[in-house]
Amino acid sequence: ERLKRARTENGLTQEQLAEKLDVSVAFLSRAECGNVKINLTRIDQICDILNISISNILTGTGNTSKDYLNEDFSNLLKTLK
């Protein structure tokens, strides 16, 4: 639900977001319905594309700007790659 709302607020179709994420539309549809697990790297990528905070996508809290925890989380993911 939060993923779909963020996508539509950014004016993207499922097809457009799926292309940016390099995933199938079917995968994105299942993700929006909560029927598939998304790894942390993909969540970080989604948040970057949709310009939303990780806390917002995971819990529905926070605002649409990135905060210091999100930056720390993103940096941690980059070091793990």
Side-chain angles (χ1 to χ4, degrees):
E1 185 68 29
R2 290 185 296 270
L3 175 56
K4 181 179 180 179
R5 184 175 53 247
R7 175 182 57 77
T8 57
E9 286 175 357
N10 278 271
L12 294 174
T13 64
Q14 282 186 334
E15 291 81 7
Q16 291 168 324
L17 182 56
E19 183 177 326
K20 289 177 182 281
L21 294 170
D22 195 29
V23 299
S24 69
V25 174
F27 175 85
L28 182 58
S29 178
R30 289 192 311 268
E32 287 185 351
C33 293
N35 295 329
V36 66
K37 294 183 187 225
I38 305 173
N39 67 43
L40 293 176
T41 302
R42 184 73 68 197
I43 290 172
D44 186 53
Q45 184 184 22
I46 290 168
C47 290
D48 283 344
I49 291 169
L50 298 178
N51 194 32
I52 59 173
S53 67
I54 292 170
S55 61
N56 185 287
I57 202 77
L58 293 178
T59 67
T61 61
N63 57 33
T64 56
S65 65
K66 296 199 176 224
D67 59 20
Y68 70 95
L69 290 176
N70 292 319
E71 186 175 335
D72 289 346
F73 183 75
S74 293
N75 290 337
L76 175 64
L77 284 175
K78 289 173 186 168
T79 62
L80 296 175
K81 289 182 183 180

